[in-house]
Amino acid sequence: MKDSFGREINYMRISITRKCDLFCSYCRTRNDASVSAGSDETGDNANGGDKRYPTDYELSVIDIYDIACVAASLGINRFKITGGEPLLRQDTPQIISRLRSIPEVKEVTLTTNGVLLGKRINELSESGVDRINVSLDTVNEKDYELLTGRPVLNEVLDGVRKAVDRNIHVRLNCLNRGPLTHAAEIVRVAEDLKTDIRFIELMPLGAGKSHDSYSNENIIKELTEEFGEPVKINAKAGNGPAVYYLFPKLDISVGFISAINNCFCETCNRIRLTSYGTLKPCLCYNTAVDLRNTLALSNEELRLRELRSLIEMAVSEKPERHSFFDIDKVTEEYTMDCIGG
């Protein structure tokens, strides 16, 4: 399926919950801290009264399966399960298994903060998940607690080890937080864990608008000084826009997603499904297509037909490019836990 600019759209990121057990300040404000594991806080108190983000509403397994089936029939054959923190939902392995059963689907992956990964690795291994991305911004214990609000770094690293031991492909996602990232140190840990790693520039969305964004060029410079002159890998790895390099003194590849300093919109291949049932064509803007009324239809044939039209509409509304380089043009106001990370 192509958008109006001729880009092939074959990838959907599905957020299955807004809840999270970490409190990363760049992801959500402290006003949103109540939307956490086991919280009963919903609606107006949690999201400033915006009805587009009802925290007491989450897509069911059937909702997600129906949307994915229709999307797959349109050519979207790669899915990423995200949150919030998706492992807070008990049915996450079931969701992955259902998506993996769709004949057209080529890949189902998961992004997690890793806190519960070790406890749930058996279920995930049996679900058929193709890859697990673990968000890890630093391996310095003090800075990890500063960034996330919890001293659980060892649990995350233990979960990564258990996933690798199960022969699950694991990739670390490191949001570039400048001096708190300790780039060379986290790359050494990634090599020891036998995982690839990607460094991601912070986008000015929601709470992220009040935080400095650091260029990945600085990390490339630091890693070059430590591990030698890198060589770009031309082959595509994964579903996203990361550019990967090999460093002479490393046995793993290192990727960079540089949304601010190296716009990659011309190759964008994705749309996003939020946990409350809206499709977002682009992170940068507040445009969204609401699926909830259609999902409530009792007539299955009508529901699937309407879902097809709405997915096609969302793809047709994808803009040519984002405006993260000009923050005044960024119209999306909500935090990444609302949108889906």
Side-chain angles (χ1 to χ4, degrees), residues 13 20 40 85 96 131 142 164 167 176 190 253 329-330:
R13 295 177 66 96
C20 189
D40 293 325
E85 173 43 51
I96 294 170
R131 184 177 64 254
K142 180 180 178 181
V164 171
N167 294 316
N176 183 352
S253 62
K329 295 182 180 180
V330 177

Side-chain angles (χ1 to χ4, degrees), residues 266-318:
E266 68 275 4
T267 60
C268 184
N269 65 339
R270 69 188 59 187
I271 55 175
R272 292 171 180 263
L273 175 63
T274 68
S275 61
Y276 37 86
T278 64
L279 280 173
K280 282 193 61 63
C282 178
L283 272 176
C284 186
Y285 307 107
N286 61 7
T287 304
V289 176
D290 198 334
L291 308 183
R292 285 174 291 175
N293 289 338
T294 298
L295 290 169
L297 293 173
S298 58
N299 184 309
E300 181 178 5
E301 182 179 351
L302 178 60
R303 182 172 71 252
L304 297 179
R305 186 169 67 245
E306 288 296 313
L307 284 175
R308 184 182 182 91
S309 296
L310 292 172
I311 293 171
E312 290 175 330
M313 179 190 300
V315 169
S316 72
E317 291 181 354
K318 280 184 68 64

Side-chain angles (χ1 to χ4, degrees), residues 107-123:
E107 185 178 69
V108 180
T109 59
L110 172 77
T111 290
T112 172
N113 62 30
V115 176
L116 297 174
L117 182 57
K119 294 179 180 178
R120 306 204 63 185
I121 196 61
N122 291 340
E123 302 167 80

Side-chain angles (χ1 to χ4, degrees), residues 78-341:
R78 289 170 168 82
F79 295 90
K80 168 83 72 182
I81 303 301
T82 74
E85 173 43 51
L87 294 185
L88 288 173
R89 274 187 65 152
Q90 293 305 304
D91 56 6
T92 296
Q94 182 184 352
I95 292 170
I96 294 170
S97 295
R98 292 295 298 272
L99 297 187
R100 211 62 194 86
S101 72
I102 301 171
E104 300 92 339
V105 171
K106 294 183 178 179
E107 185 178 69
V108 180
T109 59
L110 172 77
T111 290
T112 172
N113 62 30
V115 176
L116 297 174
L117 182 57
K119 294 179 180 178
R120 306 204 63 185
I121 196 61
N122 291 340
E123 302 167 80
L124 290 172
S125 179
E126 294 170 1
S127 73
V129 67
D130 292 287
R131 184 177 64 254
I132 297 176
N133 289 2
V134 178
S135 300
L136 184 64
D137 301 337
T138 184
V139 288
N140 178 284
E141 288 191 55
K142 180 180 178 181
D143 289 337
Y144 183 90
E145 184 173 359
L146 177 67
L147 287 168
T148 68
R150 294 188 63 199
V152 289
L153 175 61
N154 289 333
E155 286 94 322
V156 175
L157 295 176
D158 180 64
V160 172
R161 292 187 187 95
K162 288 179 178 177
V164 171
D165 288 344
R166 289 297 188 100
N167 294 316
I168 297 174
H169 183 191
V170 178
R171 180 180 292 152
L172 301 184
N173 283 344
C174 179
L175 192 67
N176 183 352
R177 301 312 302 131
L180 297 180
T181 294
H182 309 283
E185 182 181 358
I186 196 171
V187 165
R188 289 192 186 93
V189 169
E191 184 173 44
D192 180 63
L193 292 169
K194 298 180 176 61
T195 69
D196 294 330
I197 185 169
R198 303 186 298 186
F199 293 94
I200 304 170
E201 290 180 348
L202 177 66
M203 291 176 283
L205 290 169
K209 290 181 179 179
S210 62
H211 290 259
D212 292 332
S213 180
Y214 298 92
S215 172
N216 276 340
E217 292 298 323
N218 295 328
I219 287 184
I220 293 175
K221 181 179 178 181
E222 178 182 344
L223 297 184
T224 298
E225 292 173 354
E226 192 74 23
F227 303 113
E229 192 70 31
V231 176
K232 183 179 177 181
I233 302 173
N234 291 321
K236 184 173 176 59
N239 301 311
V243 177
Y244 284 89
Y245 293 86
L246 291 174
F247 289 80
K249 298 180 183 178
L250 290 174
D251 292 328
I252 60 171
S253 62
V254 181
F256 299 90
I257 299 178
S258 306
I260 309 303
N261 294 289
N262 185 22
C263 180
F264 42 74
C265 294
E266 68 275 4
T267 60
C268 184
N269 65 339
R270 69 188 59 187
I271 55 175
R272 292 171 180 263
L273 175 63
T274 68
S275 61
Y276 37 86
T278 64
L279 280 173
K280 282 193 61 63
C282 178
L283 272 176
C284 186
Y285 307 107
N286 61 7
T287 304
V289 176
D290 198 334
L291 308 183
R292 285 174 291 175
N293 289 338
T294 298
L295 290 169
L297 293 173
S298 58
N299 184 309
E300 181 178 5
E301 182 179 351
L302 178 60
R303 182 172 71 252
L304 297 179
R305 186 169 67 245
E306 288 296 313
L307 284 175
R308 184 182 182 91
S309 296
L310 292 172
I311 293 171
E312 290 175 330
M313 179 190 300
V315 169
S316 72
E317 291 181 354
K318 280 184 68 64
E320 184 174 12
R321 61 180 297 161
H322 66 62
S323 298
F324 291 135
F325 48 85
D326 185 354
I327 196 168
D328 291 334
K329 295 182 180 180
V330 177
T331 58
E332 182 56 83
E333 300 175 351
Y334 298 97
T335 53
M336 284 301 294
D337 64 311
C338 286
I339 300 166

